[in-house]
Every structure is written in C-alpha cells, then in structure tokens.
C-alpha cells in the first residue's frame, strides 16, 4: 500500500464540490469587504472630529461688527480645495445656528470665491498655494483653518495637528488680531498658542 503525503478532497458528487468552492469564495469576499470597511473608517472619523471642531470654533469667535455683511443671516463656512470631509461637515452643521445665523457650507477651488466667507478651511490639496491664499485673505475678517503642516506658524489662524493620536489645534493670536477676530479665552486655553 502506497502512502501519499498529499490530502485530496475527493467528493463523489460534482455539485457538492461546486457548492463548497462557492462557499469558500463567498467567505473570502466577505472577509475582504470587512477588512476594507475597517480600514476606511479611520479617515472619515478623523475628519468627523475636525468637522465638529470647525463648527464649534465658530461659537468662540467674534467677528468685527463694523465689517459690511452682504447677508447678516448667514455664517458662511467655505472649503477651498479637495474636501476631505465627505458629508461629515454638512451632517454636523445641518440645521444649526451660530449667534442667530444659519450656517452654510460652500466648496470651491478658487481663492476668489472665499473672500466673502466667514470661515475658510484650506484643504491639503492647496498646500503649494497656501502662501498665495493667505496673502489674499490677509486683513479680512475671515477665520482661516487648516491641517496643513505648520499652518498657524505660516500665518493661518487655527491649525490642526495630531499629538499622541489625538487631534489638537494651534492658534496664531497675531493672525487673529490682524483680521479683527476676537477669540474667546476659553478656546485659547485649549489651544497651543503660536505667534
């Protein structure tokens, strides 16, 4: 009698083999999809937190009262560049008001379109254009926010950064003063201050 080192599944019926094969393929597909979903949940959750921060920042900032406002009933949040938020920002601000104003989100790729905004989030895609964007927004009563590296140090108002796996933020108080924005001491206490 010959000993064979390989194990062969020898099902007597072809339909049974096909069902087993189909079951294994389906199981592999389900596992792959579960791994993809698990991997994809990290990025949206990061930007969900940043979207919540962005909305809450508006509650702790006072815009100058002498600035002409085309529409006093709206607080305009603009995202310039490729938005990293997906639907997160709109989901958070839907139906919300800040200081009696309805909050509206606008997405654009042009710096010309954000000069009438109250808050501007500058996406990572605009990293190479950052100096030009900040120059256009200088001396305007606009709260600038971004997660581009060293954003606050480069003249932006609030810059996100990650420390110990937590999202934190820096505030450039000089940049805020130049634009006439008054940032609450409550918010300043939570931030890392840069000049």
């Amino acid at each position: 009698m010959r000993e064979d080192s390989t194990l062969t599944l020898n099902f007597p019926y072809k339909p049974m083999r096909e069902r087993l094969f189909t079951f294994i393929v389906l199981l592999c597909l389900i596992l792959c999809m579960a791994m993809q979903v698990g991997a994809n949940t990290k990025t949206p959750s990061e930007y969900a937190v940043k979207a919540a921060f962005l909305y809450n920042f508006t509650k702790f900032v006072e815009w100058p009262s002498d600035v002409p406002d085309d529409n006093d009933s709206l607080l305009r949040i603009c995202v310039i560049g490729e938005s990293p938020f997906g639907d997160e920002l709109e989901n958070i601000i839907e139906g919300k008001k800040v200081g009696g104003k309805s909050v509206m989100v606008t997405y654009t790729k042009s710096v010309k379109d954000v000069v009438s905004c109250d808050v501007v989030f500058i996406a990572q895609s605009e990293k190479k254009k950052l100096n030009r964007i900040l120059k256009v927004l200088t001396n305007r009563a606009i709260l600038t926010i971004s997660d581009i590296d060293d954003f606050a140090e480069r003249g932006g108002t609030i810059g996100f950064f990650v420390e110990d796996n937590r999202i934190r933020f820096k505030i450039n108080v000089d940049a805020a003063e130049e634009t006439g924005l008054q940032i609450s001491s409550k918010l300043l206490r939570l931030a890392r201050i840069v000049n």
Side-chain angles (χ1 to χ4, degrees), residues 55 59 81 163:
Y55 166 68
K59 298 176 185 179
E163 184 179 73

Side-chain angles (χ1 to χ4, degrees), residues 44-80:
S45 66
E46 174 188 346
Y47 280 96
V49 171
K50 288 178 180 177
F53 267 122
L54 198 150
Y55 166 68
N56 283 303
F57 290 154
T58 63
K59 298 176 185 179
F60 296 95
V61 174
E62 193 175 310
W63 280 262
S65 57
D66 60 342
V67 175
D69 194 348
D70 297 337
N71 191 340
D72 281 337
S73 63
L74 283 178
L75 181 98
R76 293 169 303 271
I77 297 175
C78 298
V79 178
I80 185 168

Side-chain angles (χ1 to χ4, degrees), residues 23-98:
F23 173 75
I24 291 171
V25 168
L26 284 173
L27 184 63
C28 288
L29 284 173
I30 291 168
L31 288 172
C32 287
M33 288 188 332
M35 286 176 9
Q36 270 187 325
V37 167
N40 290 340
T41 55
K42 289 180 184 172
T43 302
S45 66
E46 174 188 346
Y47 280 96
V49 171
K50 288 178 180 177
F53 267 122
L54 198 150
Y55 166 68
N56 283 303
F57 290 154
T58 63
K59 298 176 185 179
F60 296 95
V61 174
E62 193 175 310
W63 280 262
S65 57
D66 60 342
V67 175
D69 194 348
D70 297 337
N71 191 340
D72 281 337
S73 63
L74 283 178
L75 181 98
R76 293 169 303 271
I77 297 175
C78 298
V79 178
I80 185 168
E82 295 173 22
S83 175
F85 295 107
D87 296 332
E88 299 292 351
L89 187 55
E90 288 164 340
N91 291 340
I92 284 170
I93 63 122
E94 186 177 357
K96 301 265 181 25
K97 289 191 173 199
V98 173

Side-chain angles (χ1 to χ4, degrees), residues 60-176:
F60 296 95
V61 174
E62 193 175 310
W63 280 262
S65 57
D66 60 342
V67 175
D69 194 348
D70 297 337
N71 191 340
D72 281 337
S73 63
L74 283 178
L75 181 98
R76 293 169 303 271
I77 297 175
C78 298
V79 178
I80 185 168
E82 295 173 22
S83 175
F85 295 107
D87 296 332
E88 299 292 351
L89 187 55
E90 288 164 340
N91 291 340
I92 284 170
I93 63 122
E94 186 177 357
K96 301 265 181 25
K97 289 191 173 199
V98 173
K101 294 183 176 189
S102 297
V103 184
M104 179 183 87
V105 178
T106 304
Y107 300 92
T108 183
K109 299 219 185 270
S110 170
V111 70
K112 294 174 194 168
D113 296 333
V114 299
V115 293
S116 62
C117 297
D118 301 295
V119 179
V120 174
F121 180 86
I122 304 166
Q124 287 278 344
S125 62
E126 306 308 294
K127 194 174 190 172
K128 291 181 180 175
K129 302 179 206 168
L130 180 61
N131 291 337
R132 186 171 66 85
I133 293 168
L134 289 175
K135 188 175 181 181
V136 170
L137 300 179
T138 297
N139 298 323
R140 296 181 187 267
I142 298 173
L143 177 64
T144 55
I145 304 171
S146 184
D147 56 2
I148 293 173
D149 291 339
D150 299 323
F151 178 73
E153 289 86 348
R154 292 173 66 180
T157 312
I158 301 178
F160 288 115
F161 67 100
V162 177
E163 184 179 73
D164 299 328
N165 293 321
R166 297 179 78 183
I167 296 168
R168 304 199 185 274
F169 58 94
K170 301 174 187 176
I171 295 178
N172 183 326
V173 289
D174 293 338

